[in-house]
Amino acid sequence: MSDYCNKQSYPLRHSDLDFCDELKPSAILSLAQESAGKSADELGFGQKSLKKRGCGFIIVNTYCKLISPVKVEEILTVETWPLPPRHVIFERDYRISGSDGRICAVAASRWCLVDTQDFSLLTADRLSDVHENCPYRNEKTVEVPNWKIPKLNGEGYECYRMQVKNSHCDHYLHANNTRYADFFFDCFTIEELRTRRIDSFHIVYGKQARENVELTFYRKDFPDGTTVIEARSGAEVFSQFRVQFKDRAEGERCAE
């Protein structure tokens, strides 16, 4: 296997920060999405190339581990590469570093290649020479504890309700994967997040949420500091979320 990676640098913007002046989870996913797109273009299976083949990638999982806080004046560097595909699963890992070279976050994602006419799942063979010549890399930046999030099966309480609108949607005309981080973290209050730091979060994308779909979020907190949230429309589970927190030290707490 190769040591290929796509490496991009991004100046941090104020809009990338939350009320604690820390990098928002949705901003992390946006940086990852941007770098994944540039890498895919570089390797010959970007959006335009895949459109000619009648196929496209859809994301099914994202897992992110936060390691070091990020400050507004920093320039972040994102490294990403594809791992060897396994049947219908395509994986891609990421490493995000700060201006001083320290690792700020690592992430892993899972994708499926689909036929854009009927959304049937495809294997890497559909990409023919692009797949055969791809410099896949075996290195993983993080070990995901479990790619599956157990369903709540009616447990938990309703904590949030919203409707998908056009500003949430991408070229597939459904809510973009990065927006789900905002949807799910809006299920917490400022007071809850002021005293706790995100250790890791995991999103499972199950069903596409198109414009005007109303999503209801159900939340269950566990004794180990983990919270699981489901986004449902009626009885259907559209997306699942799991987050692990750790307490902030007294001096790390956001100002009230």
Side-chain angles (χ1 to χ4, degrees), residues 9-12 70-77 97-100:
S9 294
Y10 302 93
L12 197 56
V70 175
K71 298 178 181 179
V72 68
E73 65 268 17
E74 295 203 69
I75 295 177
L76 299 183
T77 299
S97 303
S99 297
D100 58 2

Side-chain angles (χ1 to χ4, degrees), residues 3-241:
D3 58 358
Y4 163 83
C5 80
N6 178 279
K7 192 173 184 178
Q8 304 285 333
S9 294
Y10 302 93
L12 197 56
R13 304 167 301 179
H14 285 279
S15 58
D16 295 323
L17 305 178
D18 62 13
F19 63 91
C20 283
D21 288 330
E22 294 176 352
L23 189 63
K24 293 189 294 187
S26 59
I28 294 174
L29 298 190
S30 293
L31 293 175
Q33 180 175 268
E34 187 73 16
S35 290
K38 292 181 183 300
S39 174
D41 287 339
E42 187 174 70
L43 296 173
F45 50 83
Q47 180 190 343
K48 291 182 180 178
S49 298
L50 291 184
K51 187 175 181 179
K52 295 176 183 178
R53 297 174 183 261
C55 57
F57 279 109
I58 58 171
I59 192 166
V60 293
N61 292 86
T62 295
Y63 177 85
C64 181
K65 176 83 170 175
L66 280 66
I67 298 172
S68 174
V70 175
K71 298 178 181 179
V72 68
E73 65 268 17
E74 295 203 69
I75 295 177
L76 299 183
T77 299
V78 182
E79 298 173 273
T80 184
W81 56 88
L83 283 81
R86 294 182 290 111
H87 191 46
V88 295
I89 297 296
F90 295 75
E91 296 183 76
R92 175 176 285 278
D93 273 34
Y94 311 83
R95 182 184 295 116
I96 301 176
S97 303
S99 297
D100 58 2
R102 76 190 188 287
I103 298 176
C104 301
V106 289
S109 58
R110 278 185 162 188
W111 305 72
C112 284
L113 184 67
V114 298
D115 187 299
T116 51
Q117 292 299 311
D118 58 12
F119 275 78
S120 58
L121 298 179
L122 304 172
T123 64
D125 293 339
R126 177 66 172 264
L127 302 178
S128 57
D129 59 316
V130 173
H131 162 58
E132 293 166 5
N133 298 323
C134 183
Y136 296 114
R137 179 172 174 174
N138 264 327
E139 180 186 354
K140 295 191 68 64
T141 60
V142 62
E143 288 297 329
V144 180
N146 191 340
W147 280 111
K148 291 184 178 181
I149 299 176
K151 290 187 176 180
L152 293 180
N153 293 321
E155 296 184 16
Y157 63 93
E158 180 181 331
C159 61
Y160 180 47
R161 186 174 294 201
M162 51 85 66
Q163 194 173 54
V164 175
K165 290 299 184 182
N166 72 82
S167 63
H168 303 134
C169 297
D170 58 22
H171 60 269
Y172 287 125
L173 303 183
H174 60 73
N176 184 267
N177 76 86
T178 66
R179 302 306 299 268
Y180 280 86
D182 287 333
F183 298 165
F184 283 117
F185 278 103
D186 278 346
C187 294
F188 299 91
T189 65
I190 285 179
E191 183 57 28
E192 287 179 291
L193 299 176
R194 188 181 71 82
T195 59
R196 296 189 292 176
R197 187 180 298 284
I198 301 166
D199 181 66
S200 65
F201 67 91
H202 178 191
I203 302 175
V204 175
Y205 306 94
K207 186 176 176 62
Q208 298 172 358
R210 297 185 177 273
E211 185 182 18
N212 295 324
V213 167
E214 184 174 83
L215 295 176
T216 303
F217 295 79
Y218 294 85
R219 168 178 167 179
K220 183 176 180 180
D221 302 312
F222 293 86
D224 65 354
T226 300
T227 294
V228 172
I229 302 173
E230 286 181 350
R232 306 179 201 162
S233 182
E236 288 188 281
V237 177
F238 273 57
S239 182
Q240 297 169 279
F241 172 80

